[in-house]
Amino acid sequence: MAGKIDSFKKKVAGYTLEKPERKPQQNYVSVLILRELQSAARFTTDGTEANSAIIRIGDIEETVGKLFGRKQVASDRRVAKALQRSLIQDKMNVTVKGTWDGCSMAVNKMCQRCPECALFGSAASEEGNNKISITSRVMYDEAYTIRSIGTIVEEYFQNAPGDDYAKGATSAIREPDFFKEGTLFPCVVTLKDVTPEEVLFFLNITDRNVRYGATGTRFGKTRNHILGVYASHREGPSSLEVTRGIVVALANAAAASDEDSSDPAERLRKVMTADTLPVESVARAAIQVYEDLADRQRIAYVKFDADEVSAILDEMKDDAVVKAILESQVDKIADYISAD
């Protein structure tokens, strides 16, 4: 297998498992991601109002946008299942001793035999195909915007014109909230008790995934900047901690450069109400904040920086490499997913 991938597997070996095991241990691989919207996106629960939360940063409270962990995992799982259908159909046919149906996102129809099911989990069902309950070993935090909701959300008028190609508009008007392009969501996703192959699988999924948000409307073009991978025997900082730290770091940087002589609370508000934020500055701040928090929380880790991760992803541009990784994982999960 490719050189960078081999080096990665050796370096992460002390914090991963040779094959999945049913009894939990203390192995964590945290992936620090900066999700950057490339187009307007809808992150809503009721279909109209943007998801939000009130958070405290320093001496101020602000309402920020929120990307639920559930919305992230659903999108990643769709990409993962589609990738498997493209690459390991033949391998899965042999594994199930017949014709593998490609797995499904339907809760009661997941195959429970593929690497995606083993990693992301599925629920047992008396009536469906699911014979066992598989707990997800991928933990998603809610992701929060750095800027306040009034700065990054706007309403658009929409109507429902019908199904015909040529049609007239109807009176079905609504004004859903959209997150503006350029909005940034610092995000930490943690993998627990995984194999090196599962880490590589997740990194490849994250690199491939460019759509989050309302699936039916195909909004939410996103670029996932993977800023670092941190392997440890303790779980790392949360997305909210990182977001708070980024705001403070950007405000402090403005004060240090003599760009802003206002009081600390006002500097924080200026960051959170800025028209735009430079991605490079936010990325640097996110890395520094994450590592400072990890040090304060007494977390010893092995790190793979953005350049190292990029080199690994470059090797996985070849689908044959990803196929080999997935096929290897199929063999490793046989005992883990057994109903016995």
Side-chain angles (χ1 to χ4, degrees):
M1 191 171 285
K4 296 295 183 182
I5 291 176
D6 277 344
S7 297
F8 170 81
K9 293 170 73 173
K10 290 177 182 177
K11 190 174 176 180
V12 81
Y15 305 94
T16 54
L17 304 176
E18 177 59 30
K19 62 181 182 178
E21 299 179 12
R22 293 191 175 186
K23 294 187 180 298
Q25 300 180 38
Q26 292 291 299
N27 299 294
Y28 299 92
V29 179
S30 293
V31 184
L32 179 61
I33 306 165
L34 184 63
R35 305 197 197 279
E36 178 191 6
L37 291 186
Q38 302 290 314
S39 67
R42 285 174 52 200
F43 301 137
T44 69
T45 299
D46 62 8
T48 301
E49 294 187 5
N51 291 328
S52 64
I54 300 173
I55 64 173
R56 174 168 287 277
I57 301 178
D59 293 329
I60 69 170
E61 285 186 348
E62 286 286 346
T63 302
V64 296
K66 181 161 65 172
L67 175 55
F68 283 122
R70 193 70 180 166
K71 292 184 179 294
Q72 299 171 59
V73 66
S75 180
D76 283 348
R77 294 198 73 164
R78 284 191 291 269
V79 171
K81 289 182 184 295
L83 180 62
Q84 290 184 152
R85 295 180 200 117
S86 299
L87 298 182
I88 59 170
Q89 179 71 51
D90 292 341
K91 176 71 173 180
M92 291 304 300
N93 287 345
V94 173
T95 300
V96 303
K97 297 180 174 60
T99 300
W100 180 58
D101 66 3
C103 203
S104 168
M105 283 294 290
V107 174
N108 294 333
K109 296 182 180 180
M110 292 185 181
C111 74
Q112 296 197 321
R113 304 294 297 275
C114 65
E116 195 278 341
C117 281
L119 178 60
F120 287 92
S122 67
S125 171
E126 293 182 358
E127 298 180 358
N129 299 324
N130 303 39
K131 305 304 181 185
I132 59 175
S133 178
I134 303 174
T135 299
S136 175
R137 289 172 290 128
V138 187
M139 297 180 285
Y140 286 78
D141 278 342
E142 318 291 2
Y144 301 86
T145 62
I146 300 165
R147 294 182 289 156
S148 61
I149 193 121
T151 307
I152 49 119
V153 166
E154 60 187 349
E155 295 180 345
Y156 289 102
F157 282 102
Q158 289 187 325
N159 58 33
D163 294 327
D164 297 333
Y165 285 118
K167 54 208 173 256
T170 71
S171 59
I173 300 293
R174 59 179 181 157
E175 298 177 67
D177 288 341
F178 284 79
F179 284 84
K180 297 178 183 177
E181 49 276 285
T183 301
L184 302 172
F185 291 88
C187 181
V188 180
V189 181
T190 302
L191 314 179
K192 185 178 182 183
D193 294 334
V194 293
T195 68
E197 289 80 8
E198 287 174 322
V199 180
L200 293 168
F201 184 30
F202 178 80
L203 292 176
N204 190 251
I205 293 165
T206 304
D207 188 50
R208 289 173 183 262
N209 197 358
V210 295
R211 290 285 172 181
Y212 293 84
T215 307
T217 53
R218 305 296 187 263
F219 290 116
K221 182 72 180 292
T222 305
R223 181 179 177 188
N224 289 321
H225 303 270
I226 302 177
L227 306 181
V229 175
Y230 301 84
S232 177
H233 291 307
R234 299 178 65 170
E235 187 171 354
S238 69
S239 299
L240 179 56
E241 292 176 288
V242 173
T243 299
R244 283 176 171 149
I246 290 171
V247 176
V248 172
L250 294 178
N252 290 343
S257 63
D258 295 327
E259 293 177 5
D260 193 340
S261 59
S262 58
D263 66 84
E266 185 59 29
R267 287 199 298 270
L268 292 174
R269 286 194 176 90
K270 286 184 178 180
V271 170
M272 299 185 76
T273 57
D275 289 335
T276 61
L277 291 174
V279 176
E280 297 79 7
S281 297
V282 172
R284 285 194 301 269
I287 295 167
Q288 188 62 57
V289 166
Y290 183 94
E291 295 178 3
D292 287 348
L293 286 166
D295 289 341
R296 290 203 293 273
Q297 295 171 16
R298 295 174 294 282
I299 299 171
Y301 55 81
V302 169
K303 174 187 176 182
F304 302 86
D305 65 23
D307 290 337
E308 291 176 289
V309 175
S310 180
I312 293 167
L313 293 172
D314 282 344
E315 290 191 352
M316 288 194 285
K317 287 191 297 186
D318 184 352
D319 280 350
V321 173
V322 181
K323 180 178 180 180
I325 291 169
L326 286 171
E327 289 184 339
S328 173
Q329 190 60 20
V330 170
D331 294 330
K332 289 187 175 187
I333 63 176
D335 292 336
Y336 181 72
I337 60 177
S338 171
D340 298 332

